[in-house]
Amino acid sequence: MIDPQRYPRLSRIAVPTDLRQFPEEELPAIADELRAYLIEQVARVGGHFGAGLGVIELTVALHYLYDTPVDRLVWDVGHQTYPHKILTGRRDTIHTVKQQDGVAPFPKREESEYDTFGVGHSSTSISAALGMAIALQRGGDPRKVVAVIGDGAITGGMAFEALAHAGGMGEDGQGPEPDLLVILNDNQMSISENVGGVTRMLGRLTGSRTLNAIREGGKKLLGDKHGAPARFVRRWEEHWKGMFVPSTMFEELGFHYTGPIDGHDLPALVGTLKTLKTLKGPQLLHIITTKGKGYERAEGDQIGYHAVSPFDPAQGMVKKAGVKKPTYTDVFGDWLCDMAAADPKLMGITPAMREGSGLVRFSKAYPERYFDVAIAEQHAVTLAAGMACEGAKPVCAIYSTFLQRGYDQLVHDVAIQDLDVLFAIDRGGVVGPDGATHAGNLDLSYLRCVPNMVVMAPADENECRMMLSTGHHYAGPAAVRYPRGTGPGVEVRPTLDVLPVGKADLRRRGGPVALLAFGAMVAAAEQVAGALGLTLVNMRFVKPLDRDLVLELARSHTGFVTIEDNVVAGGAGSGVAELLAAEGVTLPVLHLGLPDAFQHHASREQLLAEAGLDADGIRASLLARWPELGAPPAQSASL
């Protein structure tokens, strides 16, 4: 429970209606308490950190001035919503964030009526808020709708699609302009530093309060905005404003632009929002904030403090001593640099995930071959396709969950043209604490059905390196899908060896049932196969499957078990069943994988156990189907 001595105001705020009982002059003190409480709680358990500290004042102002949850507040991505959760009924449980059965790390509609739209991927807030505004307006409902989007998230193309739609509605026959406020939270960061032309443009923007006053007064004097005088003045205003604002992009899109203003100046923020609440049509408020505001170490290391493990606020994060076991991401990062040294045609691409995908060293060693395209997964994939057309060897490093956003491009721009693009897919399978939005549970299914694709899943760290080399040298689209975190601890050889495409690794011969395990599931399956005396195959390739070995084992075994950390529907096991059916082989097959449901947030180990994909779960499923496998061996009669 919150300490009322340390937090005399925040302890009295369970929901926003409590916040609104305070006089306006106490809001800065409430913001100070909220910031201190957030630092204390996230340091205690870990979680997203810097982004929330940057929007403390904005969160207080919005919940103070708007009648949430009646008015609709839509957050983009959700990294910054811990302060929002604290003020909306989750103050005393925020310490359970990202833990099993605890508070979700992102807005989640099932969790709270204040979470109006579930998120986890970026650039969705304006589209969702516009949809809400249109539905409310068409129903005669006067509720307000506000979208909060960062300058990192606004680099995503979907955000501009929504801006273009919202700003043009009054003039293209789609009905009246929507009453929508978009707040652009400009801190010049996403998870890494922002890149691209939009970031440079925002850095040049300035504001003009005088212009805003003239504009609003002119609207009243000129009347019908479609009339000739109003059209003339609107064009004059745009050109005049260009003298003060180097870029009028938002105005050209149809939004009334206000700002930029200091997003940490609560009185100024409240005053501006009060005015904007009275205005009609699409409004855009540009605020300048500092990621990590109020915690000096987070302000100084905005990347490192984006998300944190538990730490002592007095000391900050301290690196653990000892030899660090390499993660699959580390294996990829090292391979990328080694292969780049061997092949000058290699190009590395990431959609704003340099640190997460392991490209930091590559970006410094080969800056002319490193491309961060911002939060634009579709562009990342088609950029790779264009590079491949001209003989380059692009490697698109991307999380499994984010590749879903570039799926059309993977199919149409890469696979149909059979282009030489390697997808290094991190966070495949069960990911854990970030919940359903970040899970990689679907990738084997959505990749396996695409013609021309080669799909690989490594059982260990060295195999991951070999598969990356295999995919790099393969003349066509290929994907290596590996899990979050560390593997079984196999030593990684420095060579750039390749594997024969479509050939599995028969780890153990036994009987009468064969375990066909894919990727990260091989280690647990190996324990079960050894204990029960069964055959074990590390399948390695999801596509193409090792047809010859599968059919040979089908002739010598009474059943198969396929094991994968992917949904069973359409996954790797389905490929095995389809192969048997096509060859006219009738054989019992038990498919073990992830359920036909979106998994909640918990640790990777907890979620695998819950799905029956740890060693105990696999053994239990086997014995439920074939009880005789658990019978003790028959004792020979003594003479």
Side-chain angles (χ1 to χ4, degrees), residues 549-608:
L549 180 60
V550 169
L551 294 180
E552 186 249 302
L553 293 176
R555 289 191 291 269
S556 57
H557 290 74
T558 59
F560 278 174
V561 181
T562 65
I563 310 170
E564 59 189 302
D565 58 339
N566 184 82
V567 292
V568 171
S574 295
V576 173
E578 291 161 12
L579 170 59
L580 295 176
E583 297 292 333
V585 177
T586 302
L587 187 75
V589 181
L590 172 62
H591 297 297
L592 299 182
L594 298 173
D596 184 22
F598 292 109
Q599 289 185 300
H600 51 77
H601 53 280
S603 71
R604 174 175 165 82
E605 293 73 23
Q606 287 170 326
L607 292 173
L608 286 171

Coordinates of all heavy atoms in Angstrom, one line a residue, residues 549-608:
L549 N 13.9 -38.4 -44.2 CA 14.0 -38.9 -42.8 C 12.6 -39.1 -42.2 O 12.4 -40.1 -41.5 CB 14.8 -37.9 -42.0 CG 15.0 -38.3 -40.5 CD1 15.7 -39.6 -40.4 CD2 15.7 -37.2 -39.7
V550 N 11.7 -38.2 -42.5 CA 10.3 -38.4 -41.9 C 9.7 -39.7 -42.4 O 9.1 -40.4 -41.6 CB 9.5 -37.1 -42.3 CG1 8.0 -37.4 -41.9 CG2 9.9 -35.9 -41.5
L551 N 9.8 -40.0 -43.7 CA 9.2 -41.2 -44.2 C 9.9 -42.4 -43.7 O 9.2 -43.5 -43.4 CB 9.2 -41.1 -45.7 CG 8.3 -40.0 -46.3 CD1 8.4 -40.1 -47.9 CD2 6.8 -40.2 -45.9
E552 N 11.2 -42.3 -43.6 CA 11.9 -43.5 -43.0 C 11.5 -43.8 -41.6 O 11.3 -45.0 -41.2 CB 13.4 -43.2 -43.1 CG 14.3 -44.4 -42.8 CD 15.1 -44.2 -41.4 OE1 15.8 -43.2 -41.3 OE2 14.9 -45.0 -40.5
L553 N 11.4 -42.8 -40.8 CA 11.0 -43.0 -39.4 C 9.5 -43.4 -39.3 O 9.1 -44.2 -38.4 CB 11.2 -41.7 -38.6 CG 12.6 -41.2 -38.4 CD1 12.7 -39.9 -37.7 CD2 13.4 -42.3 -37.6
A554 N 8.7 -43.0 -40.2 CA 7.3 -43.4 -40.2 C 7.2 -44.9 -40.4 O 6.2 -45.5 -39.9 CB 6.5 -42.6 -41.3
R555 N 8.1 -45.5 -41.2 CA 8.0 -46.9 -41.5 C 8.5 -47.7 -40.3 O 8.1 -48.9 -40.1 CB 8.9 -47.2 -42.7 CG 8.4 -46.8 -44.0 CD 9.1 -47.3 -45.2 NE 10.5 -46.8 -45.2 CZ 10.8 -45.7 -45.9 NH1 9.9 -45.1 -46.6 NH2 12.1 -45.3 -46.0
S556 N 9.3 -47.1 -39.4 CA 9.9 -47.9 -38.3 C 9.3 -47.5 -36.9 O 9.8 -48.0 -35.9 CB 11.4 -47.7 -38.3 OG 11.7 -46.3 -38.2
H557 N 8.3 -46.6 -36.8 CA 7.7 -46.2 -35.6 C 6.2 -46.3 -35.6 O 5.6 -46.3 -36.7 CB 8.2 -44.8 -35.3 CG 9.6 -44.6 -34.9 ND1 10.6 -44.7 -35.9 CD2 10.3 -44.4 -33.7 CE1 11.8 -44.5 -35.3 NE2 11.6 -44.4 -34.0
T558 N 5.6 -46.4 -34.4 CA 4.2 -46.5 -34.4 C 3.5 -45.2 -34.1 O 2.2 -45.1 -34.2 CB 3.8 -47.5 -33.2 OG1 4.3 -46.9 -32.0 CG2 4.4 -48.9 -33.4
G559 N 4.2 -44.1 -33.9 CA 3.6 -42.8 -33.7 C 4.7 -41.7 -33.7 O 5.9 -41.9 -33.5
F560 N 4.2 -40.5 -34.1 CA 5.0 -39.3 -34.0 C 4.5 -38.3 -33.0 O 3.3 -38.2 -32.8 CB 5.0 -38.6 -35.4 CG 5.9 -39.2 -36.5 CD1 5.9 -38.7 -37.8 CD2 6.8 -40.2 -36.2 CE1 6.7 -39.2 -38.7 CE2 7.7 -40.7 -37.1 CZ 7.6 -40.2 -38.4
V561 N 5.4 -37.5 -32.5 CA 5.0 -36.4 -31.6 C 5.8 -35.2 -32.2 O 7.0 -35.2 -32.3 CB 5.4 -36.5 -30.2 CG1 5.0 -35.3 -29.4 CG2 4.8 -37.8 -29.6
T562 N 5.0 -34.2 -32.7 CA 5.7 -32.9 -33.1 C 5.6 -31.9 -32.0 O 4.6 -31.8 -31.3 CB 5.0 -32.4 -34.4 OG1 3.7 -32.0 -34.1 CG2 5.0 -33.4 -35.5
I563 N 6.7 -31.2 -31.8 CA 6.8 -30.3 -30.6 C 7.4 -28.9 -31.1 O 8.4 -28.9 -31.7 CB 7.8 -30.8 -29.5 CG1 7.4 -32.3 -29.2 CG2 7.7 -30.0 -28.3 CD1 8.4 -33.0 -28.3
E564 N 6.6 -27.9 -30.9 CA 7.0 -26.5 -31.4 C 6.5 -25.5 -30.4 O 5.5 -25.6 -29.8 CB 6.5 -26.3 -32.8 CG 5.0 -26.4 -32.8 CD 4.4 -26.3 -34.3 OE1 4.7 -25.4 -35.0 OE2 3.7 -27.3 -34.7
D565 N 7.2 -24.3 -30.3 CA 6.7 -23.2 -29.5 C 6.1 -22.2 -30.5 O 6.5 -21.1 -30.6 CB 7.8 -22.6 -28.7 CG 9.0 -22.1 -29.5 OD1 9.2 -22.6 -30.6 OD2 9.8 -21.2 -29.0
N566 N 5.1 -22.7 -31.1 CA 4.3 -21.9 -32.1 C 2.9 -22.5 -32.0 O 2.7 -23.6 -31.4 CB 4.8 -22.2 -33.5 CG 4.1 -21.4 -34.6 OD1 4.4 -20.2 -34.8 ND2 3.1 -22.0 -35.3
V567 N 1.9 -21.7 -32.4 CA 0.5 -22.3 -32.3 C 0.4 -23.6 -33.1 O 1.1 -23.7 -34.2 CB -0.5 -21.3 -32.8 CG1 -0.7 -20.1 -31.9 CG2 -0.2 -20.8 -34.2
V568 N -0.3 -24.5 -32.7 CA -0.5 -25.8 -33.4 C -1.1 -25.6 -34.7 O -0.7 -26.2 -35.7 CB -1.3 -26.8 -32.5 CG1 -1.6 -28.0 -33.3 CG2 -0.5 -27.2 -31.3
A569 N -2.1 -24.6 -34.8 CA -2.8 -24.4 -36.0 C -1.9 -23.9 -37.1 O -1.4 -22.8 -37.1 CB -3.9 -23.4 -35.8
G570 N -1.7 -24.8 -38.2 CA -0.9 -24.4 -39.3 C 0.6 -24.3 -39.1 O 1.3 -23.8 -39.9
G571 N 1.1 -24.8 -38.0 CA 2.5 -24.7 -37.6 C 3.3 -25.8 -38.2 O 3.0 -26.5 -39.2
A572 N 4.5 -26.0 -37.6 CA 5.4 -27.0 -38.2 C 4.9 -28.4 -38.1 O 5.1 -29.2 -39.0 CB 6.8 -26.9 -37.3
G573 N 4.2 -28.7 -37.0 CA 3.6 -30.1 -36.9 C 2.6 -30.3 -38.0 O 2.4 -31.4 -38.5
S574 N 1.8 -29.3 -38.4 CA 0.9 -29.4 -39.5 C 1.6 -29.8 -40.8 O 1.1 -30.6 -41.6 CB 0.1 -28.1 -39.7 OG -0.7 -27.8 -38.6
G575 N 2.8 -29.3 -41.0 CA 3.6 -29.6 -42.1 C 4.0 -31.1 -42.2 O 3.9 -31.7 -43.2
V576 N 4.3 -31.6 -41.0 CA 4.6 -33.1 -40.9 C 3.3 -33.9 -41.3 O 3.4 -34.9 -42.1 CB 5.1 -33.4 -39.5 CG1 5.2 -35.0 -39.4 CG2 6.4 -32.7 -39.2
A577 N 2.2 -33.5 -40.7 CA 1.0 -34.2 -41.0 C 0.6 -34.2 -42.5 O 0.1 -35.1 -43.1 CB -0.2 -33.7 -40.1
E578 N 0.8 -33.0 -43.1 CA 0.5 -32.8 -44.5 C 1.4 -33.7 -45.4 O 1.0 -34.3 -46.4 CB 0.7 -31.4 -44.9 CG -0.4 -30.5 -44.3 CD 0.0 -29.0 -44.3 OE1 1.0 -28.6 -45.0 OE2 -0.7 -28.2 -43.7
L579 N 2.7 -33.8 -45.0 CA 3.6 -34.7 -45.7 C 3.2 -36.1 -45.6 O 3.2 -36.8 -46.7 CB 5.0 -34.5 -45.1 CG 6.1 -35.5 -45.6 CD1 6.3 -35.4 -47.1 CD2 7.4 -35.2 -44.9
L580 N 2.8 -36.6 -44.4 CA 2.4 -38.0 -44.3 C 1.1 -38.2 -45.1 O 1.0 -39.3 -45.8 CB 2.1 -38.3 -42.8 CG 3.3 -38.3 -41.9 CD1 2.9 -38.5 -40.4 CD2 4.4 -39.3 -42.3
A581 N 0.2 -37.3 -45.1 CA -1.1 -37.5 -45.8 C -0.8 -37.5 -47.3 O -1.4 -38.3 -48.1 CB -2.0 -36.4 -45.5
A582 N 0.1 -36.7 -47.8 CA 0.4 -36.6 -49.2 C 1.1 -37.9 -49.7 O 0.9 -38.3 -50.9 CB 1.3 -35.4 -49.5
E583 N 1.8 -38.6 -48.8 CA 2.5 -39.8 -49.2 C 1.6 -41.1 -48.9 O 2.1 -42.2 -49.0 CB 3.8 -39.9 -48.4 CG 4.8 -38.9 -48.8 CD 5.3 -39.0 -50.2 OE1 5.3 -40.1 -50.7 OE2 5.7 -38.0 -50.8
G584 N 0.4 -40.9 -48.4 CA -0.5 -42.0 -48.1 C -0.1 -42.8 -46.8 O -0.5 -43.9 -46.7
V585 N 0.6 -42.1 -45.9 CA 1.1 -42.8 -44.7 C 0.1 -42.5 -43.6 O -0.2 -41.3 -43.3 CB 2.5 -42.3 -44.3 CG1 2.9 -42.9 -43.0 CG2 3.5 -42.6 -45.4
T586 N -0.4 -43.6 -43.0 CA -1.4 -43.4 -41.9 C -0.6 -43.7 -40.6 O -0.1 -44.8 -40.4 CB -2.5 -44.4 -42.0 OG1 -3.2 -44.1 -43.2 CG2 -3.5 -44.2 -40.8
L587 N -0.5 -42.7 -39.7 CA 0.3 -42.8 -38.5 C -0.2 -41.9 -37.5 O -0.5 -40.7 -37.8 CB 1.8 -42.5 -38.8 CG 2.8 -42.7 -37.7 CD1 3.1 -44.2 -37.6 CD2 4.1 -42.0 -38.0
P588 N -0.4 -42.4 -36.2 CA -0.9 -41.5 -35.2 C 0.1 -40.3 -35.0 O 1.3 -40.6 -34.8 CB -1.0 -42.3 -34.0 CG -1.1 -43.7 -34.5 CD -0.3 -43.7 -35.7
V589 N -0.3 -39.1 -34.9 CA 0.6 -38.0 -34.7 C 0.0 -37.1 -33.6 O -1.2 -36.7 -33.7 CB 0.7 -37.1 -36.0 CG1 1.7 -35.9 -35.7 CG2 1.3 -37.9 -37.1
L590 N 0.8 -36.9 -32.6 CA 0.4 -36.0 -31.5 C 1.1 -34.6 -31.7 O 2.3 -34.6 -31.7 CB 0.8 -36.6 -30.1 CG 0.6 -35.7 -28.9 CD1 -0.8 -35.3 -28.7 CD2 1.2 -36.4 -27.6
H591 N 0.3 -33.6 -31.8 CA 0.9 -32.3 -32.0 C 0.9 -31.5 -30.7 O -0.2 -31.2 -30.1 CB 0.0 -31.5 -33.1 CG 0.0 -32.1 -34.4 ND1 1.1 -32.2 -35.2 CD2 -1.1 -32.6 -35.1 CE1 0.8 -32.8 -36.3 NE2 -0.5 -33.0 -36.3
L592 N 2.1 -31.1 -30.3 CA 2.2 -30.3 -29.1 C 2.8 -28.9 -29.5 O 3.7 -28.8 -30.2 CB 3.2 -31.0 -28.1 CG 2.9 -32.4 -27.6 CD1 3.9 -32.9 -26.6 CD2 1.5 -32.4 -27.0
G593 N 2.1 -27.9 -29.0 CA 2.5 -26.6 -29.3 C 1.6 -25.6 -28.5 O 1.1 -26.0 -27.5
L594 N 1.6 -24.4 -28.9 CA 0.9 -23.3 -28.1 C -0.6 -23.4 -28.4 O -1.0 -23.8 -29.5 CB 1.5 -22.0 -28.5 CG 3.0 -21.8 -28.1 CD1 3.5 -20.5 -28.6 CD2 3.1 -21.9 -26.6
P595 N -1.4 -23.0 -27.5 CA -2.9 -23.1 -27.6 C -3.4 -22.1 -28.6 O -2.8 -21.1 -29.0 CB -3.4 -22.8 -26.2 CG -2.3 -21.9 -25.6 CD -1.0 -22.4 -26.2
D596 N -4.6 -22.3 -29.0 CA -5.4 -21.4 -29.9 C -6.0 -20.3 -29.1 O -7.2 -20.1 -29.0 CB -6.5 -22.2 -30.7 CG -7.2 -21.4 -31.7 OD1 -6.6 -20.4 -32.1 OD2 -8.3 -21.7 -32.0
A597 N -5.1 -19.5 -28.5 CA -5.5 -18.4 -27.6 C -4.3 -17.5 -27.5 O -3.1 -17.9 -27.7 CB -5.9 -18.9 -26.3
F598 N -4.6 -16.2 -27.2 CA -3.5 -15.2 -27.0 C -3.0 -15.4 -25.5 O -3.8 -15.3 -24.6 CB -4.0 -13.8 -27.2 CG -4.3 -13.5 -28.7 CD1 -5.6 -13.4 -29.1 CD2 -3.3 -13.5 -29.6 CE1 -5.9 -13.1 -30.5 CE2 -3.5 -13.2 -30.9 CZ -4.8 -13.0 -31.4
Q599 N -1.8 -15.6 -25.4 CA -1.2 -15.8 -24.0 C -1.1 -14.5 -23.3 O -0.9 -13.4 -23.9 CB 0.2 -16.5 -24.1 CG 0.1 -17.9 -24.6 CD 1.5 -18.5 -24.5 OE1 2.4 -18.1 -25.2 NE2 1.6 -19.6 -23.8
H600 N -1.3 -14.5 -22.0 CA -1.2 -13.4 -21.1 C 0.3 -13.1 -20.8 O 1.2 -13.8 -21.3 CB -2.0 -13.5 -19.8 CG -1.7 -14.8 -19.1 ND1 -0.6 -15.0 -18.4 CD2 -2.4 -16.0 -19.1 CE1 -0.6 -16.3 -17.9 NE2 -1.6 -16.9 -18.3
H601 N 0.5 -12.1 -20.0 CA 1.9 -11.8 -19.6 C 2.3 -12.6 -18.4 O 1.6 -12.7 -17.4 CB 2.1 -10.3 -19.4 CG 1.1 -9.7 -18.4 ND1 -0.2 -9.4 -18.7 CD2 1.3 -9.4 -17.1 CE1 -0.8 -8.9 -17.6 NE2 0.1 -8.9 -16.6
A602 N 3.5 -13.2 -18.5 CA 4.1 -14.0 -17.5 C 5.5 -14.3 -18.0 O 5.9 -13.9 -19.1 CB 3.4 -15.3 -17.2
S603 N 6.3 -15.0 -17.2 CA 7.7 -15.3 -17.7 C 7.6 -16.3 -18.8 O 6.6 -17.1 -18.9 CB 8.5 -15.8 -16.5 OG 8.1 -17.1 -16.1
R604 N 8.6 -16.4 -19.6 CA 8.7 -17.4 -20.7 C 8.5 -18.8 -20.1 O 7.8 -19.6 -20.6 CB 10.0 -17.2 -21.4 CG 10.2 -18.3 -22.5 CD 11.4 -18.0 -23.3 NE 11.8 -19.2 -24.1 CZ 11.3 -19.6 -25.2 NH1 10.4 -18.9 -25.8 NH2 11.8 -20.7 -25.8
E605 N 9.2 -19.1 -19.0 CA 9.2 -20.4 -18.4 C 7.8 -20.7 -17.9 O 7.3 -21.9 -18.0 CB 10.2 -20.5 -17.2 CG 11.6 -20.4 -17.6 CD 12.1 -19.0 -18.1 OE1 11.4 -18.0 -17.6 OE2 13.1 -18.9 -18.8
Q606 N 7.1 -19.8 -17.3 CA 5.7 -20.0 -16.8 C 4.8 -20.3 -18.0 O 3.9 -21.2 -17.9 CB 5.3 -18.8 -16.0 CG 5.9 -18.6 -14.6 CD 5.6 -17.3 -14.0 OE1 5.4 -16.2 -14.7 NE2 5.4 -17.3 -12.7
L607 N 4.9 -19.5 -19.0 CA 4.0 -19.7 -20.2 C 4.3 -21.1 -20.9 O 3.3 -21.7 -21.3 CB 4.2 -18.6 -21.1 CG 3.7 -17.2 -20.6 CD1 4.0 -16.1 -21.6 CD2 2.2 -17.2 -20.4
L608 N 5.5 -21.5 -21.0 CA 5.8 -22.8 -21.6 C 5.3 -23.9 -20.7 O 4.7 -24.9 -21.3 CB 7.3 -22.9 -21.8 CG 8.0 -22.1 -22.9 CD1 9.5 -22.2 -22.8 CD2 7.5 -22.6 -24.3

